[in-house]
Amino acid sequence: MRLHDALEDDIVVPFHYFGITDIDEIDLSDVPVHDLDEITKRLKVNERVDFIIENMRFYGHDGKKRKCLGFCASREHARYMTEEFNKRGIPSSYLSGEDDVPVRQARIAELEDDCNELQVIFTVDIFNEGVDIPSVNTVLMLRPTNSPIVFIQQLGRGLRKYQDKSFLTVLDFIGNHTKTFLIAIALNGSRYYDKESLKMAISTGFAHLPGATHIQMDKISQERILAQIDQEKFTSMKYLKEEYFEFKKMNNGRVPDLLMDFYKYDGAPDPVRFIDKEKSYLNFVAKVEKDQQLQQLLANETFEKALKWLSSMLPLKRIYDFVILNHLFEQPVVTIDEAEQEILKWVKNVDKDSVYHAMEFLNQNFFDDTQKKRTPKLANLNDERLVRSDSFDQLLKNPTYKKYLHDVIEYGLFRYDLEFGEEYFGVPHFKLYEQYQMMDAALMSNYRKSHSAFRGFRVTCKR
């Protein structure tokens, strides 16, 4: 479940996040975010320890005893923070992947015990996910953020509900490294973002987040993040490759070759950006991975064209067409009544004319000559029956082709359902605050001439 949804459904406690500009002595501007040895060396500054403790005391915590997790850059950094906190009278310990399960369980039990003096556990990687410490009331972000997924996982360690716990305090010490803007992407809580939506979220203190969550960044941190967002080219191949390979690391190093892989983790990138770059997600993966096997797969012209055409419809503007195609994956023929029944499994209502328009669209009734040349015909319309084409039949006989084509269909349906649910939007099928190109408007208006001839300007639907 996404953090935004968990907050909205009151499944987790709200959090009070404070983005605090790090001390001047910490300069990470010229250090790659993955150079942990150099980052560790630069973070081991006594003045920074004092600054962290000063802010912990200033912002406080919910509950009688502080129960804190501090996320560090490395094991050496975690050991250092533990030693310095203990020197300053704050009982602390550290854990890493080297510690066996009994040791971890013992430390966690000490932290949770109100009568035990332990207040802080510093760690690197073992609390990112899957560890349950409900009573944690403070989280310290002490290292540069290099992944929105990891940031959300670490934040989530303190969000579990617990008796008499009304909120989590999060102190994030924001340095001047080049990926500071990833914090804004993580806190924004939306899979789909652009520069303007991120800047708006920052300027309003992420006011769109539900419940009693409070996010406050000091002015220097805000300005630093906004400047990076302005400079970053979210659509450049360089940025997209970095985003992809960071996600691959979170996927345990396995190539995430399916669009549905991106729904495993909150904070995952929007794969439609990869599609926009290379016309299909599989084309993007084949290119950045230099994967000869995938490249050979894409050498089949019919498969590649079909994949690109289906991908071009993401994110879906209406669900009907993909529902019908999904049915054709398993059944060679679909009647208009069967299509209507399949669509009604996804939405509360649908008009017959829209069902038939979707069948006509899949029959390429509204394609111009150029579109027909670049798009394999997957179905033929005979009266009120849509029949799987020979080309589609041949593709489905190959399990690998079928897997990747169906992944696009499944992702399109799943994403549409998450965003719009089962609501019926009528004709034209517009939703508030969404933007549409004119060919989208033609499709959603049940326009029955060539959609490329539907002229006008981009449509933005507002109340």
Side-chain angles (χ1 to χ4, degrees):
M1 174 176 277
R2 289 174 54 234
L3 174 60
H4 186 282
D5 297 331
L7 288 167
E8 190 168 49
D9 295 341
D10 197 30
I11 294 172
V12 296
V13 297
F15 61 94
H16 296 178
Y17 169 96
F18 300 95
I20 303 160
T21 301
D22 223 330
I23 61 172
D24 292 340
E25 288 82 355
I26 306 296
D27 182 9
L28 303 176
S29 60
D30 60 342
V31 186
V33 76
H34 295 295
D35 188 350
L36 299 182
D37 289 340
E38 184 61 27
I39 288 172
T40 295
K41 186 165 66 175
R42 298 194 189 191
L43 291 180
K44 289 170 62 177
V45 175
N46 284 340
E47 289 83 358
R48 188 181 195 241
V49 177
D50 294 332
F51 183 66
I52 291 166
I53 293 172
E54 177 187 331
N55 278 279
M56 288 172 66
R57 288 172 175 156
F58 179 78
Y59 288 107
H61 58 274
D62 183 32
K64 293 180 181 178
K65 175 188 171 182
R66 178 186 290 112
K67 300 176 182 181
C68 175
L69 292 179
F71 291 99
C72 299
S74 64
R75 292 168 186 162
E76 182 184 347
H77 184 212
R79 282 193 291 268
Y80 169 79
M81 292 301 301
T82 300
E83 291 167 3
E84 295 302 318
F85 265 50
N86 283 322
K87 285 179 188 176
R88 290 162 174 78
I90 300 176
S92 304
S93 183
Y94 76 90
L95 289 172
S96 75
E98 294 179 340
D99 296 302
D100 58 25
V101 173
V103 171
R104 298 181 199 178
Q105 291 175 337
R107 292 289 179 277
I108 291 169
E110 290 171 6
L111 185 69
E112 293 210 282
D113 185 353
D114 288 338
C115 298
N116 191 286
E117 65 176 9
L118 184 65
Q119 293 185 30
V120 184
I121 295 178
F122 292 102
T123 184
V124 186
D125 48 11
I126 63 171
F127 289 144
N128 285 2
E129 57 178 330
V131 178
D132 191 25
I133 316 177
S135 64
V136 165
N137 55 28
T138 306
V139 167
L140 302 177
M141 303 290 196
L142 304 176
R143 54 160 294 166
T145 297
N146 62 357
S147 164
I149 297 173
V150 172
F151 184 95
I152 291 170
Q153 287 175 345
Q154 292 176 345
L155 175 63
R157 294 311 93 213
L159 292 178
R160 279 290 303 275
K161 287 195 167 186
Y162 188 70
Q163 59 190 29
D164 301 325
K165 174 178 162 183
S166 56
F167 65 90
L168 170 73
T169 299
V170 183
L171 304 184
D172 189 0
F173 294 86
I174 300 174
N176 61 350
H177 63 93
T178 58
K179 296 295 181 183
T180 300
F181 69 91
L182 294 176
I183 296 168
I185 293 174
L187 291 172
N188 190 43
S190 174
R191 292 184 187 275
Y192 323 116
Y193 61 85
D194 55 27
K195 288 189 176 189
E196 293 310 311
S197 65
L198 285 177
K199 290 195 285 188
M200 177 62 73
I202 293 165
S203 64
T204 60
F206 300 85
H208 64 286
L209 288 178
T213 287
H214 172 78
I215 295 178
Q216 176 183 315
M217 291 180 178
D218 63 35
K219 187 176 181 182
I220 295 174
S221 294
Q222 275 195 26
E223 290 175 350
R224 185 172 286 159
I225 291 172
L226 287 170
Q228 286 189 5
I229 289 171
D230 275 333
Q231 292 167 10
E232 192 64 53
K233 297 176 180 176
F234 290 143
T235 58
S236 70
M237 181 55 87
K238 177 178 179 291
Y239 178 82
L240 293 173
K241 283 176 69 174
E242 288 175 356
E243 196 173 37
Y244 167 82
F245 282 110
E246 191 62 45
F247 179 72
K248 181 181 175 181
K249 278 174 54 182
M250 294 307 306
N251 203 42
N252 298 315
R254 187 183 70 80
V255 173
D257 59 340
L258 297 176
L259 290 166
M260 290 302 293
D261 288 335
F262 288 83
Y263 277 109
K264 292 179 182 177
Y265 303 100
D266 192 5
D270 178 5
V272 171
R273 290 211 301 277
F274 305 135
I275 292 171
D276 290 342
K277 197 68 178 176
E278 294 296 328
K279 307 304 181 189
S280 86
Y281 177 61
L282 203 62
N283 282 86
F284 179 88
V285 175
K287 183 171 184 175
V288 299
E289 293 283 356
K290 299 179 174 61
D291 189 314
Q292 291 187 348
Q293 196 171 3
L294 288 182
Q295 289 168 358
Q296 288 173 2
L297 200 68
L298 291 162
N300 181 304
E301 187 178 8
T302 305
F303 169 65
E304 186 184 34
K305 284 183 174 181
L307 193 67
K308 286 182 175 180
W309 177 61
L310 294 174
S311 301
S312 72
M313 289 188 273
L314 298 177
L316 296 183
K317 308 304 184 292
R318 73 176 185 187
I319 201 170
Y320 313 149
D321 318 86
F322 267 38
V323 171
I324 295 170
L325 281 171
N326 190 49
H327 188 70
L328 286 175
F329 266 82
E330 304 305 328
Q331 301 297 330
V333 180
V334 59
T335 67
I336 188 168
D337 290 333
E338 289 169 340
E340 181 180 14
Q341 290 308 308
E342 288 298 312
I343 291 168
L344 288 173
K345 293 176 182 178
W346 292 87
V347 292
K348 288 186 289 190
N349 188 29
V350 64
D351 57 280
K352 207 86 167 185
D353 184 58
S354 292
V355 179
Y356 194 66
H357 186 269
M359 296 172 78
E360 291 177 305
F361 175 73
L362 295 174
N363 192 51
Q364 300 189 353
N365 284 22
F366 319 123
F367 285 32
D368 60 28
D369 291 339
T370 303
Q371 289 172 305
K372 287 178 180 177
K373 283 180 183 177
R374 68 171 181 245
T375 310
K377 197 174 186 188
L378 301 184
N380 297 300
L381 184 60
N382 299 320
D383 296 325
E384 293 188 345
R385 299 167 72 250
L386 199 63
V387 182
R388 192 195 293 162
S389 70
D390 291 340
S391 297
F392 199 13
D393 260 332
Q394 289 303 311
L395 289 173
L396 295 185
K397 286 177 182 176
N398 183 311
T400 308
Y401 292 155
K402 182 176 180 179
K403 178 181 79 168
Y404 288 118
L405 291 170
H406 192 259
D407 175 55
V408 180
I409 298 290
E410 186 180 14
Y411 176 84
L413 294 173
F414 190 74
R415 176 164 171 171
Y416 184 95
D417 186 54
L418 281 178
E419 291 185 33
F420 304 114
E422 59 180 7
E423 186 174 348
Y424 172 63
F425 293 95
V427 180
H429 202 69
F430 295 145
K431 295 100 179 163
L432 285 173
Y433 314 117
E434 296 294 312
Q435 291 187 338
Y436 303 104
Q437 301 297 328
M438 294 316 297
M439 287 182 66
D440 300 329
L443 179 74
M444 300 169 76
S445 305
N446 292 350
Y447 186 66
R448 282 187 161 86
K449 295 181 182 179
S450 172
H451 286 185
S452 62
F454 193 84
R455 297 296 181 219
F457 301 93
R458 187 169 69 174
V459 177
T460 302
C461 290
K462 297 181 179 179
R463 190 180 298 279

